[in-house]
Amino acid sequence: MERRDFLKFGVLTGATATLTACEKPAQQLARFVPEEDFVPGVAASKPSLCTLCPGGCGVVVRVMDGEAEVIRNGQRGLIQMGLAKKLEGNARHPVNRGKLCARGQAGLQVTYHPDRVQNPLKRSGPRGSGDFHEIEWQEALSEVASKLEELRSQNRADSIRFITGNMRGQRRQLINKFLSSLGAPPALQFAPLDEPVLRRANQLNFGRAILPSFDLERSNYVISLGADFLGTWNSPVSQSIGYGEMRRGRPGNRGKFVQVEQRMSQTGANADEWVACSPGSEGLLALGLAHIMVKEGLRPGQPETAQSREAVEGLRNETYSAAQVASRTGISANRIERLAREMAAHPPAVALIGGAALAHTNGLCNALAVNLLNLVLGSIGLPGGMFFTPPISIMKGATSPNDNSDFVSYFRSGHFEPTEILFVDHANPVFATPQGWQVSERLKQIPFLVSFSSFIDETSVLADLILPDHSPLESWLDDAPESGTSEAVLTLAAPAMRPLHNTRAMPDVLLELAKSLGKGVSEALPWKTFEEMLQRSFREIAQAERCDLSDGFDKVWGRVLEQGGWWDGECHIPPPQTTSAQFRAPEFVPPVFDGGEQEFPFYFQPYVSEAFLDGSLAHLPWMQELPDALSTVSWGSWLEVNPKTAEKLQIRQGDLIRVRSRHGTLDTPALLNPGIAFDVVAMPMGQGHEQFGRYARRRGANPMNVVAPIGVEQVGSLAWASTRVSLSKIGQKRRLCLSSGSLYEKEEQPGLR
Amino acid sequence: MAVDLDRCTGCAACVIACQAENNVPTVGEEAAGKNRAMHWIRIERYYQGEFPNPRVKFRPVLCQQCDNAPCEPVCPTYASYHTSEGLNGQVYNRCIGTRYCANACPYTVRTFNFFNPFWDKPLHLQLNPDVSVRQVGVMEKCTFCVQRIKASEIQARAENRELREGEPTPACVQSCAPKALVFGDLNDPESEVSRLARSPRGAKLLGELGTRPKITYLERESWDGQNS
Amino acid sequence: MVKTADEVQRDLLRPVVETPRRAVSAMVGLALVVLAGFSAWMYQVYTGIGVAGIDRPVFWGFYITNFVFWIGISHAGTLISAILRLSNATWRRPITRCAEVITVFALLIGAMFPLIHLGRPWLAFWLAPYPNQRGLWPNYRSPLVWDFFAINTYLIGSLIFLLLPTIPDFALLRDNLSGWRRKFYAVLCLGWRGTQRQWRQLESAMHIMAILIIPVAVSVHTIVSWDFAMTPVPMWHSTIFAPYFVVGAIFSGIAALIIAMVFLRSSLHLEEYLNPRCFDNLGKLLLVMSLLWFYFLFAERLTTWYGNTRSEVAVLWLTMRGPYRDLFWVMVGCNFVFPFPLLAIKKLRTITGTFLASVTVVIGMWIERYLIIVPSLSRKFLPYAWGTYRPTWVEITITGATFCAMALLYLLFSKVVPVVSIWEVKAGLRVPSSAIMDESS
Ligand SMILES: Nc1nc2c(c(=O)[nH]1)N[C@H]1C(S)=C(S)[C@@H](COP(=O)(O)OP(=O)(O)OC[C@H]3O[C@@H](n4cnc5c(=O)[nH]c(N)nc54)[C@H](O)[C@@H]3O)O[C@H]1N2
Ligand SMILES: Nc1nc2c(c(=O)[nH]1)N[C@H]1C(S)=C(S)[C@@H](COP(=O)(O)OP(=O)(O)OC[C@H]3O[C@@H](n4cnc5c(=O)[nH]c(N)nc54)[C@H](O)[C@@H]3O)O[C@H]1N2
Ligand code: SF4
Ligand code: SF4
Ligand code: SF4
Ligand code: SF4
Ligand code: SF4
């Protein structure tokens, strides 16, 4: 076919697409990116949302016209359409203020990934074989509908389950409405990056099961216990912005930043003072610091409630004296005293906790201890301290605690709840859970598994049906970030481009199912499309928040879509409420580790990879080729060992090491790291995929293979830092893609390659 | 440009921003293992000391746009040349691949197309139409996002006005959350970049070589005020 | 006993007139290896320069090593024969031509490498100044462009220098052969009839060329050295490089000449002409160059070590203590420790002695070029960007092929032109026999 004809044909199908858009949700989007807007070569900016981590940053998509091969009405063809070319931060978005992290920018490659699922797939081989064949949407949907109908008629709706990833806003609402209207239990949430422990602590102390925000801009002293808050933790971009200002934004006033951990993280690498403490003793250090401030009467005065006073008095207990704490944390007593006095002398000071510090069996008391320290520092709800992002009052559940515990109990409860049909959306539990949970085995028991995944990953490969979702750039998105900003924020975004493949937005698919299920369900979900739902819910919110709708709702709606969401200034939201603090007397329980010290001499510390997070981004070539900040390794995984330890074990850089725990083994090359404790070995999460596209498949090793399936006490979420392991050389070498030629700049150490 | 090492967190947002903006290809595991990855800006990581008192220094290194650029005179075809605006230009079409310039560059920031770049379809749709894709055997490097500079100049001329502060903004600068990267007009003494360039913490990378780089690095400072 | 002019003529024409089987099979063998090298290059052009082992930061490797090496070898001939001619050393007569031939072929091979190493060799012609509608000219500030001119000048000069004295021998061949070959040489000898006038013109032309070619030769390796010395790379950016390279060039050149002579001697039965006397004299020259080379190496290393600049010392120790340690000491052994006694002790300065010394010197000088290029590039200023280099089969094949190409060209040449200048040797007969005849024979 001539190129010109191809163009014509393309334009035709493009047109049909627009016409049929009204009934076919898959083509709804056409309306929001009118091609006629495009002058060839002139870029348009479309606001969007980054969905890659819980940070919830606002995005601006650079869209330019181009020719893309797309599927329309079952036909492949070349059409002129707006194509996303680059993702940048939305300068008006309160969370990330125009900035975007490396991952966020690589989100572009999710849309254009060569291994995206392009059509609905039906399993043709045995489970896990990865043999699928393409089917029509109608066929796929009617199959699901009949299954649901059947279960409903047998009153076995409770055997309909739904697993989602970390998800906020109306998307989550829609899923739960759908489930409840069927009489099914609410969706289970699987979010490996979430900090359920911290939520629980904040629930107990502040009555808010949400993650805290920090006013780093204005703090003069920041101590972080294991939180990689400049890299992957909580709201990294907003925290990085604040950090920059804390360091250099206020002439003549440079804040101090102390990091406490066992393995120097990207965040720790920036600390003015880096402190190593024994694993799991972070909470005790916090109490020790508080103890000194209370005892020496150093704490900056602040109003307090009766029982918070009681809690503070509890700190005088000698078990938290510098000497006691020193012996159990491995930090010298005078260093602890010095730190405490420095902190008190440089208000406002604030303490953060995250990462491994919360992933020990005693994670909860570590978290509570740090909250108490913040109380003593007087940094709660005040400038330069910690606070909570105000919720949008009526968005019930929209920002509700994404607690994994229900998910955990679902899989770990002795009797695995009988499930007839399981939907999985934006979650890959098979990859990101320890072998011990046997997630994969249990999923295999489920008769009918439906995945909305855009990729064949370790979980969707088990599915009977894959109903591929649009990529975020092709979807209607909404989100209410729970941290990283001092104003209530509702991010709202229309699709930045039309879909490339024969995919459908998951919410629209649910709405279509609801329609076909009829009685009960369709009433509960009256909207034609997800867009309509968003618009309706926004109208409610706008009214509830007393927005100024004087110049008509449509105007406001248009303005909101144009700016990429809606936040303070648009509406009037009550300031943060943190007075209802409920502090309890301090207590510290030491952590428990899996595996005996003799047989398993090393603490095994997996850490969230800057490039891949929990592994959900390992399929992106840009992320694979990005040298890791500290190891500078790309395209693989590695085990970090202290050079002195390595010398003892005669391990050299690149030697393949067999890591063994009570629960499994893995092989990965050794990397010498001068920034890790002698008795700790660390490994990035995210590699070791069996599936997940050509760039991630069969690459590196997955630390989850050795992680012990222990839960955090009183919370139940995975205590992923409480495994002990043994190391042994297996006599092979593996070339690491090392981008650094030398560990050191000045000293004459030999370059490690 | 000014780079405040006291702000840089080593997050590498700039690296990906540049890769996305400038159609920098990925080369794959084997080539990356041979140090053939092509990022135009890299985050150098240097340890100082070791456990229990390790320190790390991050340093973003990109083309320093030297006023006295060793990479320019050695190029036999003028592919590496000095533009009228004082940038170090790279004309891909002119490059015949002697790699002489890359040896001459003391900062090792020039990257070379050892093979033809390749994007698995439809990843090619991410390519930025404002930047040409480079062929095998061609040298490339940071251009200070010249396409953005030109675009802003054209825009300014169209509205017949001077360029404003913060315009143009290179992709790396735009993405840098802690504002470690600052870009601006060094000829304007009032611009923020000029102000930073005059900072007592300021230093040129390998300044002793006399390449007269246009990038000023603001040294990292320890809390009690000494440079470290 | 002293040979008569006729005997000389018969001996020296024989190789041209008759071709033994051995020679043919040798040529076929060599040709095959050369073909392999050529295929390897075509594969590289087709697939991309990436099939070579070069990487970042070691952007130059085997190819540039070979370039410097062969250009160095090319200094054997012309320079030596020119000097010997001017100094009118009588023992030069049998060897000048073998020497000049080396120059021409080594240059041709050496000059190929800059093209082989290009990322886009099909655009190599942009190095040449040629009028084009874009009004684009090469950058005359670039040492690579200087190379272009220097090498071409040297090549043309050496060709003339080689061909001038062959004219009378071509005439001789014309007169002694029949059929197409007669016509062939009739063309080559440019109508030489041996008149007094022609002889006088030839002599003066050769004299002028001999004077002109010396500065050209020196300039060539000077400029090659500047390819390195002009860039701010640790241990490259040094004023010693120009003389260092020239000395190294002559050093390896003489060694190559000796090796070539040994082969010609046996394969073409020129024992009486390429006699121990020649080897003894060349051996002395080689000894002098070996001492000079060592002196330069010492001077370079000492000043670097004493100056103690961080980046430079890093490279210094990389070569002398680091991963390149073994190569470095092999080089010192090959270029000095081993040849020195062989050449210094008169008893050992035999044909075999000088031959062995020359072989090690050639090997040593190749290693020297490699050690100048690779370590410096792998340890530039920013330690983060330090790297390593490992050659691939492509580079190795091409390198090997060029050595065979040299031998092949040499053999072919000896089939067309008498490698020992007949008329000059005859002329030598008129001077005391001892000048050319070995005492023993
Ligand atoms: N596939 C394809 N073909 C096209 C086009 C396209 O977009 N794609 N565009 C069409 C259009 S609009 C045009 S204007 C033409 C342009 O076609 P060309 O005129 O070929 O333009 P280019 O290929 O950009 O550059 C010209 C060539 O000049 C070489 N060059 C660069 N510097 C020098 C130099 O100093 N001396 C010499 N002699 N050569 C040099 C480059 O290697 C390049 O191959 O192509 C037309 N054909
Ligand atoms: N780095 C670098 N930049 C260059 C050049 C270079 O050599 N190197 N070359 C320069 C030169 S010479 C030129 S001419 C320009 C070319 O640059 P452009 O003028 O941008 O040429 P294209 O990108 O080929 O075409 C522009 C758009 O036209 C669309 N198009 C194709 N057919 C049709 C049609 O029938 N109707 C409409 N409305 N649109 C259509 C294409 O899809 C594309 O999006 O690039 C210039 N830029
Ligand atoms: S922090 Fe990065 S990944 Fe997370 S939302 Fe923001 S941009 Fe996306
Ligand atoms: S984006 Fe900024 S902070 Fe991050 S690495 Fe680059 S320069 Fe440093
Ligand atoms: S940094 Fe290197 S590439 Fe850039 S101008 Fe200077 S010498 Fe040239
Ligand atoms: S590689 Fe290209 S740019 Fe560099 S010197 Fe050679 S021709 Fe010039
Ligand atoms: S200025 Fe532009 S080209 Fe240079 S590093 Fe930054 S983004 Fe890349």
Side-chain angles (χ1 to χ4, degrees), chain B residues 62-66 69-72 88 104-107 109-110 141:
Chain B
L62 58 158
C63 171
Q64 307 288 304
Q65 303 292 347
C66 312
C71 64
E72 285 164 7
N88 168 252
C105 169
Y107 307 90
V109 294
R110 302 179 73 90
K141 56 143 203 114

Side-chain angles (χ1 to χ4, degrees), chain A residues 272-308:
Chain A
D272 295 298
E273 183 170 352
W274 190 80
V275 182
C277 75
S278 54
S281 69
E282 287 84 355
L284 187 58
L285 173 63
L287 296 175
L289 293 168
H291 170 89
I292 292 158
M293 283 185 249
V294 172
K295 202 159 114 248
E296 302 185 1
L298 300 172
R299 56 182 299 226
Q302 74 158 86
E304 53 190 345
T305 63
Q307 53 67 258
S308 73

